[in-house]
């Protein structure tokens, strides 16, 4: 028998306590060897004044056990409160989000009878870095950060997962036709690391058409790897089209820590009525049992759950006259699973988890070799409302400014070139990007030139929002050109 493993458990809000009770009763009946440390999260904790939804002392339990089984919480509306999920992911470094999305035709009604897709979402970077600013009266900005180590870790994780779970193909979704540097890096790393896994088929889709294809023909996909934002949105779409959001479980994996949960929220309207479907949390817990090295328990629970679905014992969200046989509450559904522990589904495919050691799939990254970096210019961002926002007037004001070959070559507004030779139709806000480089963008300068340029811009009484250095790495231009440049 496996040694007892300590885990941290939070019962959450709304339907959380009911589905957690159901899940833990099934795990216990299946012989899970767990030492449970209970912590409070969510509404109660927010009300006590902890803006992140978790009390400082709860981190001690998480640091001790390193494994978190978490029920959904109700996120308070309004300012000042931080998302507990985002805080936990970032604090514990949970860079990989894993969501298997499977349809259970004909037992669960779905438009997609053949669907078995695992979504792997990068969990820490992208627009979720939370770096936002209002820069002018009219313009706000959110920084999209994509790092090479972040891309390498999640990509390697995805390929290792594919091997461990016998998956054949990984599809990467990005929008690198537009975001050539950020999404471009994600795609490039996918190709680089993919080359180390010749046994796994690889493909790349632009995220918009990929999303359409996923919603229409999910059977075309095996695993999908995505940066954070696309993954956040599309993993919900994928879960929903399997038949019910109540069926999806997810794992958030880091180097040392892991968190397991249902993908749905706290469904407050269903709370306290013994109605909710505990399947999402249960399937999250199944992933946890594999992770902590008790795969036999995971397999027993998963197969008993499939058999229960197949036998037509369904909670209200899955119940359908004709296919379902018995409509049950949360507790009765758990009891039905417990009764079937040890049996396997006959029509649905039974699962098999490799026995033995904990299956801790890990991503990794190699230290980045620094390139030769040259500074070839600077973008100066201005808040400017003068001269009826006529770009030619702004161009005139800036035209005498020079430092060591850097001079004004371009002004854009929302990325569109408006000077020189802008189109009169282009709508202009109060936010201007003024690019100073040598004519061919090939003359290296120094930061002293940047300071010199902004000192001259400042002396014209202009409102500088920020500057962004323009660089070449190993001789290659490492910034996007303005639309129309
Ligand atoms: P929700 O997922 O709670 O509910 C959406 C719909 O799905 C509702 O109709 C609900 O009745 C149904 N549903 C959800 N889970 C179900 C289950 N297990 N069984 C049967 N039906 C189920 O989403 P929401 O209503 O947008 O959000 C409610 C609260 O949950 C909000 O405060 C939100 O911020 C929070 N939330 C938390 C998490 C989390 O803690 N991980 C995730 C998403 C939303």
């Amino acid at each position: 028998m496996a040694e007892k493993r300590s885990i941290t458990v939070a019962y959450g809000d709304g339907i959380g306590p009911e589905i957690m009770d159901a899940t833990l009763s099934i795990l216990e009946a299946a012989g899970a060897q767990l030492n449970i440390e209970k912590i409070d999260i969510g509404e109660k904790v927010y009300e006590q004044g902890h803006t992140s939804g978790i009390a400082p002392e709860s981190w001690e339990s998480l640091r001790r056990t390193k494994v978190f089984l978490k029920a959904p919480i109700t996120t308070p509306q309004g300012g000042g409160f931080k998302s507990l999920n985002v805080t936990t992911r970032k604090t514990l470094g949970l860079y990989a989000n894993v969501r298997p999305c499977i349809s259970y035709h004909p037992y669960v009604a779905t438009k997609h009878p053949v669907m078995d897709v695992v979504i792997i979402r990068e969990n820490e970077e992208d627009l979720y870095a939370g770096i936002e600013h209002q820069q002018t009266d009219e313009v706000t900005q959110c920084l999209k950060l994509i790092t090479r180590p972040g891309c390498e870790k999640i990509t390697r994780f995805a390929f290792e997962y594919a091997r461990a779970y016998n998956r054949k193909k990984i599809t990467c979704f990005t929008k690198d036709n537009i975001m050539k540097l950020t999404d471009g890096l994600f795609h490039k790393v996918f190709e680089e690391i993919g080359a180390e896994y010749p046994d796994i088929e690889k493909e790349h889709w632009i995220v918009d058409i990929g999303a359409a294809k996923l919603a229409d023909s999910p059977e075309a996909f095996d695993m999908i790897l995505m940066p954070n934002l696309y993954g956040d949105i599309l993993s919900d779409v994928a879960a929903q089209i399997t038949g019910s959001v109540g069926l999806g479980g997810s794992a958030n994996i880091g180097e040392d820590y892991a968190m397991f949960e249902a993908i749905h929220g706290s469904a407050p309207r269903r709370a306290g009525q013994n109605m909710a479907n505990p399947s999402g949390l249960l399937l999250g817990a199944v992933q946890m049992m594999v992770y902590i090295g008790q795969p036999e328990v995971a397999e027993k629970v998963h197969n008993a759950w499939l058999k229960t679905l197949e036998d037509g014992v369904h909670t209200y969200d899955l119940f359908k006259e004709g296919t379902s046989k018995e409509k049950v509450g949360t507790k009765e559904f758990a009891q039905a699973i417990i009764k079937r522990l040890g049996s396997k589904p006959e029509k649905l495919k039974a699962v098999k988890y490799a026995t033995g050691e904990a299956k801790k799939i890990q991503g990794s990254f190699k230290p980045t070799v620094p390139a030769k970096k040259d500074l070839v210019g600077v973008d100066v961002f201005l808040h400017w409302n003068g001269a009826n926002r006529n770009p030619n007037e702004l161009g005139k004001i800036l035209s005498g400014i020079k430092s060591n070959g850097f001079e004004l070559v371009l002004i854009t507004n929302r990325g569109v070139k408006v000077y020189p030779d802008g189109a009169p139709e282009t709508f202009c806000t109060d936010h201007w990007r003024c690019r100073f480089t040598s004519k061919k963008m090939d003359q290296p300068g120094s930061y002293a030139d940047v300071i010199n340029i902004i000192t001259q811009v400042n002396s014209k009484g202009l409102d500088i929002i920020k500057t962004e250095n323009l660089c070449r790495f190993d001789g290659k231009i490492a910034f996007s050109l303005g639309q129309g440049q």
Side-chain angles (χ1 to χ4, degrees):
M1 190 177 286
E3 232 178 83
K4 274 207 173 202
R5 177 67 157 83
S6 292
I7 63 166
T8 302
V9 168
Y11 280 66
D13 301 317
I15 59 171
E18 297 160 69
I19 60 174
M20 185 58 84
D21 273 336
T23 298
L24 293 179
S25 69
I26 298 163
L27 292 184
E28 194 188 358
Q33 296 301 305
L34 299 173
N35 243 332
I36 289 171
E37 296 189 11
K38 221 176 121 180
I39 61 165
D40 278 334
I41 55 167
E43 266 183 320
K44 234 191 318 189
V45 183
Y46 281 113
E47 277 162 20
Q48 286 161 3
H50 302 290
T51 51
S52 59
I54 179 165
E57 55 274 18
S58 298
W59 289 110
E60 284 165 32
S61 169
L62 287 169
R63 293 214 167 87
R64 205 167 29 244
T65 69
K66 298 184 163 43
V67 177
F68 189 15
L69 181 62
K70 175 184 154 295
I73 60 156
T74 303
T75 318
Q77 302 283 313
F81 299 109
K82 290 198 215 109
S83 156
L84 174 65
N85 273 341
V86 176
T87 306
T88 318
R89 281 177 199 150
K90 290 206 173 163
T91 309
L92 303 180
L94 309 178
Y95 63 89
N97 183 266
V98 183
R99 274 191 192 183
C101 300
I102 301 158
S103 60
Y104 304 97
H105 176 77
Y107 306 102
V108 177
T110 164
K111 293 182 188 119
H112 303 289
V114 186
M115 174 169 181
D116 183 352
V117 183
V118 177
I119 308 255
I120 308 275
R121 159 188 171 197
E122 197 292 318
N123 228 0
E124 293 183 294
E125 304 195 338
D126 199 348
L127 291 154
Y128 292 65
I131 306 176
E132 291 194 292
H133 301 92
Q134 177 167 356
Q135 298 182 313
T136 69
D137 294 316
E138 294 179 351
V139 177
T140 52
Q141 165 192 276
C142 177
L143 267 192
K144 171 161 168 139
L145 293 178
I146 302 275
T147 73
R148 177 168 267 279
C151 293
E152 288 189 13
K153 261 160 70 178
I154 193 65
T155 305
R156 218 173 274 286
F157 179 94
F159 279 102
E160 289 296 321
Y161 185 100
R163 275 193 181 158
Y165 287 93
N166 230 347
R167 296 266 166 178
K168 305 287 176 241
K169 181 172 81 171
I170 303 182
T171 308
C172 175
F173 284 2
T174 71
K175 186 82 184 170
D176 67 340
N177 53 334
I178 304 294
M179 284 160 277
K180 295 190 166 70
L181 290 185
T182 47
D183 281 22
L185 176 60
F186 197 91
H187 184 179
K188 190 168 148 202
V189 168
F190 174 70
E191 300 292 342
E192 277 172 23
I193 290 182
E196 297 171 28
Y197 295 82
D199 47 321
I200 315 273
E201 199 189 324
K202 293 156 279 281
E203 62 179 13
H204 173 268
W205 288 67
I206 297 295
V207 61
D208 38 19
I209 191 63
K213 178 91 174 163
L214 171 66
D216 182 63
S217 331
E219 65 279 3
F221 298 101
D222 189 4
M223 283 177 66
I224 306 178
L225 169 67
M226 285 178 271
N228 206 344
L229 179 65
Y230 314 139
D232 189 1
I233 297 165
L234 293 182
S235 58
D236 266 24
V237 171
Q240 180 70 42
I241 65 175
T242 64
S244 167
V245 72
L247 288 175
S250 105
N252 298 275
I253 310 283
E255 262 160 48
D256 299 314
Y257 295 89
M259 173 170 85
F260 302 87
E261 60 186 342
I263 67 165
H264 57 76
S266 59
R269 280 192 307 129
R270 308 287 177 198
Q273 298 162 57
N274 189 37
M275 283 180 83
N277 185 351
S279 299
L281 186 61
L282 184 68
L283 292 183
V286 163
Q287 290 195 59
M288 177 184 79
M289 297 312 291
V290 176
Y291 179 87
I292 64 173
Q294 300 182 30
E296 299 79 6
V297 176
E299 189 171 310
K300 206 164 159 188
V301 169
H302 202 156
N303 282 327
W305 175 78
L306 287 167
K307 179 84 172 94
T308 309
L309 275 194
E310 194 180 271
D311 287 346
V313 182
H314 293 166
T315 43
Y316 84 96
D317 54 317
L318 303 183
F319 188 84
K320 211 167 171 217
E321 276 318 328
T323 3
S324 306
K325 298 219 167 57
E326 204 183 330
K327 190 184 208 168
V328 290
T330 315
K331 280 191 191 131
E332 296 71 28
F333 186 67
Q335 281 152 13
I337 297 171
I338 291 171
K339 216 169 86 189
R340 287 166 178 77
L341 286 170
S343 50
K344 286 192 175 153
E346 284 150 34
K347 307 268 170 34
L348 292 170
K349 199 167 155 244
V351 294
K352 181 113 197 75
Y353 292 110
T355 48
E357 282 191 10
K359 200 174 238 173
K360 282 199 177 162
I361 296 162
Q362 276 303 331
S364 61
F365 66 94
K366 296 198 178 100
T368 310
V369 182
K372 183 176 175 299
K373 186 177 172 190
D374 306 310
L375 184 72
V376 293
V378 61
D379 278 346
V380 180
F381 290 77
L382 299 179
H383 179 178
W384 184 68
N385 234 333
N388 290 325
R389 299 188 182 177
N390 179 344
N392 293 325
E393 294 301 319
L394 182 59
K396 249 191 248 163
I397 299 171
L398 298 172
S399 63
I401 295 173
K402 283 198 173 58
S403 181
N404 187 29
F406 293 180
E407 59 186 318
L408 181 72
V409 293
L410 166 86
I411 301 176
T412 66
N413 197 296
R414 294 191 299 173
V416 182
K417 181 171 114 172
V418 291
Y419 177 89
D421 311 321
E425 296 81 10
T426 306
F427 174 74
C428 290
T429 66
D430 55 0
H431 180 276
W432 308 82
R433 185 262 301 263
C434 310
R435 175 160 288 177
F436 292 84
T437 64
S438 64
K439 283 266 171 347
K440 289 188 174 158
M441 297 188 293
D442 59 352
Q443 183 172 328
S446 72
Y447 199 68
D449 296 311
V450 172
I451 294 169
N452 196 356
I453 296 272
I454 54 179
T455 307
Q456 293 176 59
V457 174
N458 187 49
S459 71
K460 306 265 180 197
L462 293 162
D463 180 357
I464 301 170
I465 304 163
K466 69 163 188 176
T467 62
E468 203 67 67
N469 291 345
L470 303 175
C471 296
R472 286 185 314 190
F473 284 80
D474 284 339
K476 265 182 46 197
I477 282 184
F479 48 91
S480 57
L481 299 181
Q483 284 161 18
Q485 190 180 13

